Amino acid sequence: MEGRLHEFRALLETSEDQCAIADADYRYIWANRAYREHFGRGDEEFTGHSLPEILGAECFEQTVRPHLDRCLAGEAVRYETEHTSGDGRRRQLRVDYYPLESSRGQGPRAGAVITDVTGLRAAEAELQRQADLIEMAGRITRVGGWSVFLDDGRVIWSPVVAEIHALPVRYAPPLEEGINFYAPESRDRIRALFNDCIERGIPYDEELALIDAEGQRKWVRALGEPIRNTDGHIVGAQGAFQDLTRHREREHQIRRFRHIIEQSPAAVAVTDLQGRIEYVNPAFERISGYSAEELEGRTPARIRSGNTPDELYRDLWTTITAGETWTGEIQNRHKDGTLFWEQEVISPLKDEQGRTINYVAIKQDITSLKQAQEQLRRIAYEDALTGLLSRPGFARALQQRIDGGHWHPAGLLVITDIHALRDINEAYGYQAGDWLLREFGRRLEGQAGERGLVGRLGGDEFTLFLPEPREPLELDLSELQDALTAPFTIHGTEFEISIRMGYTRMGTQQRTAEVLLREAELAQFRNRAESSEPWSAFTTRLFEETQQRIDLTRELRQALNEDQLELHFQPKVDLASGQLVACEALLRWNHPERGLLPPDLFIAVAEQSQLITAVGDWALERACRHLREWRDAGLDPVRVAVNVSLTQFQVGNFARRVRSTLEESGVAPEELALEITEGVFIQQSTALQRQIRMLHEMGVRLALDDFGTGYSSLLYLKQYPFDEIKIDQGFVFHLLEEPFHRNIVETVLALARAMDAEVIAEGIESARVGEALLEMGCRFGQGYYYSMPLEAEDFRWLLEQRSRLPLAGTHPPST
C-alpha cells in the first residue's frame, strides 16, 4: 500500500498541473512541485502556512474562499480564473476542488488541481474565430453544407441551406422533400446526379433551379460527393449548396448592359488610369474609323483633331483625376482625316472601396447638330440674299465690340434704303432687283473697310457702321452717297438710284447696339417723311417726339375704352338755296387734360399704331347710332358722310362690317356716305376694288375726298364707282385769286359730269366763293361760311329748325 502511495505521490509531484491539499483552517497540508514553482517557494514555505499568506488576502477572500468552503462542505467544485504568474504574465486557470476523506479525526480537507488552460482557451478562441469566419463567409457567399446518411435517411442542412430554401434554421427535411424543392425542369436532373453519387460514387457540381418555400424561383450551385466508411463503402453523401440568384441577376444585368452598350449609337470607351484604352464599343469604331484592335492599348490622342486647345485637355484631366465628371465638346479626327464633333462625358469608375480603377467616356457625335447650329446661326445672323449680317447679326456684332471695350465716340451708324426699288422690280424683274441688292451690299462693304460693319436690315434697308468716319462729316456722307448711287448697269442698260439715309453719332455716352440702331432708324424715318435732304441726323427731339407718339397711342387706346371720342357734324348745303342736304361726321377727341382735339393731332398716330381700324369702326357705328336716334325722335335726318381709312379696307371684310352696322342700327344704306381719300389709287388692288363695289351695290354712297391733292389717275378713277367728288379746300380757298385753282375746279366739274358724279366743294368761307362755285356749275358745298362743325345736340337742333344756311340771326344753342 505504501508503495502505491509513493508512486501516486511521485506522479502528482511530476505533473504539470498545480496540486495542493488544504485543511479546514485554510492551511496548506501539501503542494506539488508545479504549485510551489508557480509561487516561487520551497516545500518548507508551504506546509502549515495559510492560504491568504500565499495567495494574498484579497484574492483569497474574493475568489478562493467561496469555492473552497463549498468543497470543505463536501461538494466538488470547478471554476476558471485569471492569475498573474511570477513572470508577470496573465494566465487562464481551471480550478478543480475535490473533498477528501478525513482520517483519525483530522477534519475535512480539500484537494485542488489547478490546470493552466491559457493555451487551450486561446486555441478554442481561434477555432471559434475560424468557425465564425466560415459562417460569415457562408452567409456572404450564400454557401451552406448538407449531409445525407443512408442507414437512417437523416438529412442535415446548415443554417444557410435552410435559409436558401426559406425554411427555419437547422430544418432537416426528408430526402424526397429536399429533392422536390427543385424546379420541375431541374428535378429529374438532381435525382440522377444524387443517385450516381450514392450508387457509383460520382461527385457532381451543377447549377440548377429551385423554388423555395415562399414560391420564389432561385438559382443554386449544388455540389455533392460520396461519404465512405473505413471499408470504402458508400454510407451517405455530403456537399455544398450556394445561392447563385444574385450572381445570375448580376450576370443578366451585365449582359443586358453590355448589349445596350454594344448596340448604343453613342461611342463608349474605357481607359486605365494612364488613359490607355482598354475597351471601345462598335459605335466608337464606326465614328472614329478605327477598329478596337487599333485603339486598345493606345490613348485617345490617336483621334485628336489638333484644333482643340490644350487648356481644355488639361482641365479634363484635372477634373477626372480629382474623381469628378467632366463634360464638354471636343473636335476629333476620323481615320480618313474627316473632322467631327463629339459631346463627351468622362467619369471615373470606382470599386467597392471608392477607389478609381478606370475612366469611362461616353461620346455623342454632334457633327450634324453643330452643322445645324451653324446653319441656324447663319439664318439668324446672316442675310441669305446678300451674305451680309442680318439685323440680329449686325446688332450682335456691334454689341460684342461695345462689350469688348471698343466704343468709338466719333463712330457713325448709318441706315439707308433704296428709293423706289419696286419700280426697278417691275421694270426689270425681281431677279434684277435681287442683283441690285447684292451689288448695293458690296458697295457698302467697300465703304466699311476692314474695321466697319455692314448689314441688311430687311427689304431695301441696309446699315453701315464706321468706327472712324472722316471729317467734316457732311463731306464723308456726300462721298458715301455718291459711291452708293453711282450708275448701275443691268442687261446693258445703265440706270441710277436714289437713297435716303439716317444716321446717329456714338458720342461719349455709351448705348447698346439696339439703341443706336433705333436712333438711326428714327433719323431715317424723319428723312423719309419730311426731309428733302439725302440724309437726316438723329437728335434727342426725334426721340422725344417718338415718346410723345407712344404716349399718345396709349392714351388713344384708353380713349376708345373710356368713350372719350365724339362726332361733330358739318352741314353740306345746296349752294343755290342754302338748304341743308347732308353732313360730314368729323371726329373729335375730348381729351381729359388737353381738351377737345381735332383729328389732325391724332389720326396719323392711329394709323401708325394700327388703331385706325378700331377708331374708324367706332366712328361708323356712332354715326349710325345718331341717325337712328334722330329718326326715332321724329326728325327727317340727312345723309351722314363718314371718313374711311384705307387700312380699314386692308384689314378685310370691311363691306360686311358696314352691312352689319347698318342692320344693327336700323339705318338704310342710302342714308350713309363713305368718304375715301385718293390713296385708294396708290393702294389699289383687286380685293380693294371688290369691297368698294360691294358697298356701292349695297346702296352706300361713295365719295372721293380731297381730290387733286394726291395720286389722281383718270385710268384708276374710271374703275371705281364714286358718287361724289370732293374738291379739296386748298383749291376752293384761293378760287377768286388764283386762275390756276379756278381752272382745277372747272376741270373737276367737267370730270364729274363725265362720270355722272356730284361735286362737293370744301372750305367755302365767304358768300362770294359760294356764288362763284354756283356760277361754275358746282351745286353743293360745305365750309365755315355756312356752318362750323357742330356737336351732335346742336346739329339735332339744326335738323329741327330746317333753316337755310347760313343762319341769319338764329344760332344753335351751344354756339
Side-chain angles (χ1 to χ4, degrees):
M1 184 68 179
E2 290 183 3
R4 290 183 179 178
L5 288 175
H6 179 76
E7 292 175 353
F8 182 70
R9 185 182 182 93
L11 176 64
L12 292 178
E13 187 69 21
T14 59
S15 173
E16 294 295 327
D17 292 337
Q18 301 174 33
C19 302
I21 299 175
D23 61 17
D25 295 328
Y26 311 122
R27 293 183 177 277
Y28 286 103
I29 296 175
W30 172 81
N32 72 346
R33 176 189 55 79
Y35 196 102
R36 295 192 303 271
E37 289 179 354
H38 177 75
F39 290 99
R41 293 174 179 265
D43 183 45
E44 67 281 358
E45 295 179 84
F46 271 91
T47 303
H49 289 273
S50 67
L51 271 66
E53 180 183 352
I54 302 299
L55 301 177
E58 183 178 355
C59 176
F60 174 76
E61 291 294 334
Q62 293 182 2
T63 305
V64 175
R65 183 172 179 172
H67 301 292
L68 184 58
D69 286 346
R70 289 167 53 198
C71 180
L72 292 172
E75 179 185 351
V77 178
R78 171 177 288 185
Y79 69 94
E80 290 191 10
T81 185
E82 286 188 355
H83 181 70
T84 303
S85 63
D87 57 7
R89 290 186 297 172
R90 299 291 294 174
R91 312 297 296 176
Q92 191 80 15
L93 304 177
R94 187 184 70 200
V95 181
D96 289 287
Y97 288 154
Y98 303 99
L100 302 178
E101 294 181 3
S102 59
S103 61
R104 296 186 297 274
Q106 294 175 343
R109 295 183 179 184
V113 179
I114 302 172
T115 305
D116 188 342
V117 294
T118 304
L120 177 62
R121 294 294 177 259
E124 290 176 345
E126 178 62 22
L127 288 174
Q128 184 62 47
R129 189 179 71 83
Q130 294 292 339
D132 291 342
L133 287 174
I134 292 172
E135 183 181 354
M136 179 183 67
R139 290 197 308 270
I140 294 174
T141 60
R142 306 283 291 168
V143 176
W146 59 269
S147 300
V148 175
F149 297 96
L150 299 179
D151 56 351
D152 56 5
R154 282 182 302 122
V155 176
I156 299 175
W157 278 358
S158 72
V160 173
V161 175
E163 184 182 339
I164 291 173
H165 287 77
L167 291 171
V169 174
R170 304 195 184 285
Y171 179 76
L175 177 60
E176 191 60 28
E177 179 183 341
I179 290 178
N180 286 336
F181 271 103
Y182 285 88
E185 67 272 19
S186 298
R187 203 168 293 155
D188 290 342
R189 179 61 179 164
I190 189 60
R191 184 175 283 110
L193 291 172
F194 183 77
N195 289 338
D196 283 345
C197 181
I198 61 175
E199 294 173 2
R200 301 166 58 189
I202 301 174
Y204 62 88
D205 182 351
E206 195 146 339
E207 293 183 9
L208 301 167
L210 64 79
I211 299 174
D212 68 15
E214 296 177 351
Q216 298 295 318
R217 188 179 185 87
K218 294 179 179 178
W219 279 95
V220 296
R221 181 183 180 190
L223 299 92
E225 63 180 14
I227 300 176
R228 300 178 185 271
N229 61 14
T230 55
D231 297 329
H233 296 106
I234 297 175
V235 295
Q238 64 183 6
F241 211 68
Q242 183 178 14
D243 186 351
L244 299 179
T245 305
R246 293 180 183 175
H247 177 70
R248 280 283 187 127
E249 290 174 350
R250 282 195 297 269
E251 282 188 340
H252 175 69
Q253 190 175 39
I254 290 171
R255 286 196 300 271
R256 183 172 58 201
F257 286 156
R258 187 175 186 89
H259 178 75
I260 292 172
I261 292 173
E262 293 289 325
Q263 300 300 318
S264 172
V268 178
V270 179
T271 74
D272 62 17
L273 298 184
Q274 286 70 47
R276 290 186 294 268
I277 295 174
E278 294 182 351
Y279 166 81
V280 295
N281 70 340
F284 195 107
E285 295 178 286
R286 183 181 66 256
I287 293 172
S288 69
Y290 291 96
S291 66
E293 292 75 14
E294 292 175 299
L295 293 170
E296 289 173 1
R298 297 176 177 269
T299 68
R302 179 151 198 184
I303 62 171
R304 285 185 184 179
S305 65
N307 300 328
T308 303
D310 292 338
E311 293 78 12
L312 184 142
Y313 290 112
R314 283 196 291 269
D315 174 66
L316 183 160
W317 193 250
T318 300
T319 301
I320 62 175
T321 53
E324 299 174 359
T325 298
W326 182 89
T327 302
E329 295 179 358
I330 293 179
Q331 187 185 55
N332 287 320
R333 189 180 300 276
H334 191 275
K335 184 178 181 180
D336 64 8
T338 306
L339 296 175
F340 62 95
W341 281 93
E342 289 184 306
Q343 174 75 38
E344 299 193 15
V345 178
I346 305 177
S347 303
L349 180 63
K350 299 182 179 181
D351 61 13
E352 292 78 2
Q353 287 73 41
R355 296 173 301 188
T356 300
I357 56 176
N358 288 100
Y359 298 119
V360 178
I362 301 176
K363 305 161 175 267
Q364 185 70 40
D365 187 346
I366 58 171
T367 306
S368 298
L369 177 62
K370 280 283 190 178
Q371 292 171 346
Q373 289 175 341
E374 179 61 23
Q375 181 66 20
L376 288 174
R377 189 201 65 78
R378 284 198 296 269
I379 293 173
Y381 299 126
E382 185 177 301
D383 178 58
L385 177 63
T386 63
L388 301 177
L389 294 171
S390 62
R391 181 188 178 106
F394 184 90
R396 179 171 174 262
L398 182 56
Q399 189 63 49
Q400 286 175 343
R401 292 195 181 190
I402 294 173
D403 294 341
H406 300 290
W407 182 267
H408 304 275
L412 182 71
L413 182 63
V414 179
I415 290 181
T416 181
D417 65 0
I418 302 172
H419 183 58
L421 179 63
R422 177 181 176 183
D423 295 340
I424 296 173
N425 287 332
E426 291 179 352
Y428 299 97
Y430 284 97
Q431 288 184 344
D434 290 346
W435 174 87
L436 175 62
L437 291 172
R438 288 191 292 268
E439 185 62 27
F440 191 81
R442 280 194 288 270
R443 289 188 181 185
L444 277 171
E445 286 182 305
Q447 295 299 307
E450 294 182 357
R451 300 187 60 193
L453 289 175
V454 177
R456 183 188 177 205
L457 303 183
D460 61 358
E461 198 170 60
F462 293 79
T463 184
L464 168 68
F465 171 65
L466 298 172
E468 296 178 354
R470 292 167 294 176
E471 299 295 343
L473 181 61
E474 290 74 13
L475 178 60
D476 201 14
L477 289 172
S478 178
E479 292 180 357
L480 175 62
Q481 182 191 23
D482 292 343
L484 296 177
T485 58
F488 292 86
T489 301
I490 296 180
H491 305 312
T493 301
E494 187 177 272
F495 66 94
E496 296 181 351
I497 63 169
S498 62
I499 62 174
R500 291 169 296 198
M501 293 190 293
Y503 71 88
T504 186
R505 301 297 294 264
M506 295 185 75
T508 56
Q509 181 182 359
Q510 289 199 17
R511 283 126 33 228
T512 65
E514 282 295 342
V515 170
L516 292 170
L517 281 168
R518 183 58 181 156
E519 290 175 357
E521 283 175 332
L522 289 175
Q524 191 206 29
F525 292 159
R526 173 57 57 88
N527 181 264
R528 186 183 301 172
E530 300 178 6
S531 178
S532 60
E533 296 295 327
W535 58 75
S536 294
F538 170 78
T539 63
T540 55
R541 179 171 167 271
L542 287 179
F543 180 79
E544 291 168 357
E545 290 175 353
T546 301
Q547 190 61 47
Q548 290 173 1
R549 187 166 60 251
I550 293 172
D551 294 341
L552 194 61
T553 300
R554 175 177 48 78
E555 293 174 359
L556 182 57
R557 185 175 287 106
Q558 184 177 357
L560 281 168
N561 295 332
E562 297 179 359
D563 203 25
Q564 296 176 9
L565 301 179
E566 57 186 57
L567 291 180
H568 289 194
F569 300 89
Q570 186 173 35
K572 296 180 180 180
V573 300
D574 184 324
L575 298 181
S577 63
Q579 183 68 39
L580 175 64
V581 295
C583 68
E584 180 181 359
L586 299 172
L587 194 62
R588 298 291 186 268
W589 180 1
N590 195 354
H591 195 282
E593 297 176 0
R594 300 167 63 183
L596 200 64
L597 302 179
D600 58 340
L601 294 182
F602 62 86
I603 287 299
V605 171
E607 290 177 339
Q608 293 174 3
S609 62
Q610 302 301 312
L611 287 174
I612 191 62
T613 299
V615 171
D617 288 351
W618 177 91
L620 177 64
E621 185 275 332
R622 189 57 56 92
C624 290
R625 184 194 298 182
H626 283 303
L627 273 169
R628 180 66 185 179
E629 290 173 353
W630 296 335
R631 185 177 297 284
D632 290 346
L635 301 175
D636 186 15
V638 295
R639 183 185 299 115
V640 176
V642 178
N643 291 282
V644 179
S645 167
L646 288 178
T647 306
Q648 291 174 265
F649 287 100
Q650 293 167 346
V651 170
N653 300 324
F654 179 66
R656 283 200 287 268
R657 295 205 307 277
V658 171
R659 184 191 299 276
S660 176
T661 302
L662 290 172
E663 291 174 351
E664 290 176 1
S665 61
V667 172
E670 58 269 17
E671 293 180 300
L672 178 67
L674 299 177
E675 296 188 1
I676 309 170
T677 64
E678 285 185 326
V680 68
F681 300 136
I682 301 176
Q683 301 293 334
Q684 67 87 29
S685 67
T686 303
L688 177 61
Q689 193 174 23
R690 181 172 61 251
Q691 291 192 70
I692 291 177
R693 288 194 178 279
M694 288 176 62
L695 290 168
H696 186 265
E697 293 169 0
M698 194 186 304
V700 175
R701 194 170 180 84
L702 301 176
L704 181 60
D705 196 15
D706 299 332
F707 185 73
T709 62
Y711 187 82
S712 300
S713 170
L714 297 181
L715 178 62
Y716 289 153
L717 185 60
K718 179 183 176 183
Q719 299 173 1
Y720 291 87
F722 287 107
D723 302 292
E724 298 177 5
I725 296 178
K726 297 188 72 174
I727 303 175
D728 185 76
Q729 61 183 349
F731 300 115
V732 174
F733 187 78
H734 298 285
L735 178 66
L736 301 179
E737 295 85 10
E738 297 287 345
F740 173 76
H741 291 173
R742 185 180 183 90
N743 292 336
I744 291 294
V745 173
E746 290 175 344
T747 301
V748 173
L749 288 169
L751 181 63
R753 284 192 294 271
M755 295 177 56
D756 194 23
E758 292 181 352
V759 175
I760 307 293
E762 294 182 296
I764 302 174
E765 296 191 0
S766 67
R768 291 179 59 213
V769 171
E771 292 168 358
L773 287 167
L774 190 58
E775 290 175 359
M776 296 170 65
C778 181
R779 293 179 53 197
F780 304 102
Q782 67 186 88
Y784 274 53
Y785 171 70
Y786 298 101
S787 175
M788 64 183 297
L790 304 174
E791 294 184 14
E793 289 302 316
D794 292 343
F795 188 78
R796 175 174 174 166
W797 178 87
L798 197 62
L799 291 175
E800 293 172 347
Q801 298 299 313
R802 278 297 182 181
S803 300
R804 297 180 182 276
L805 298 174
L807 295 174
T810 305
H811 300 282
S814 65
T815 59

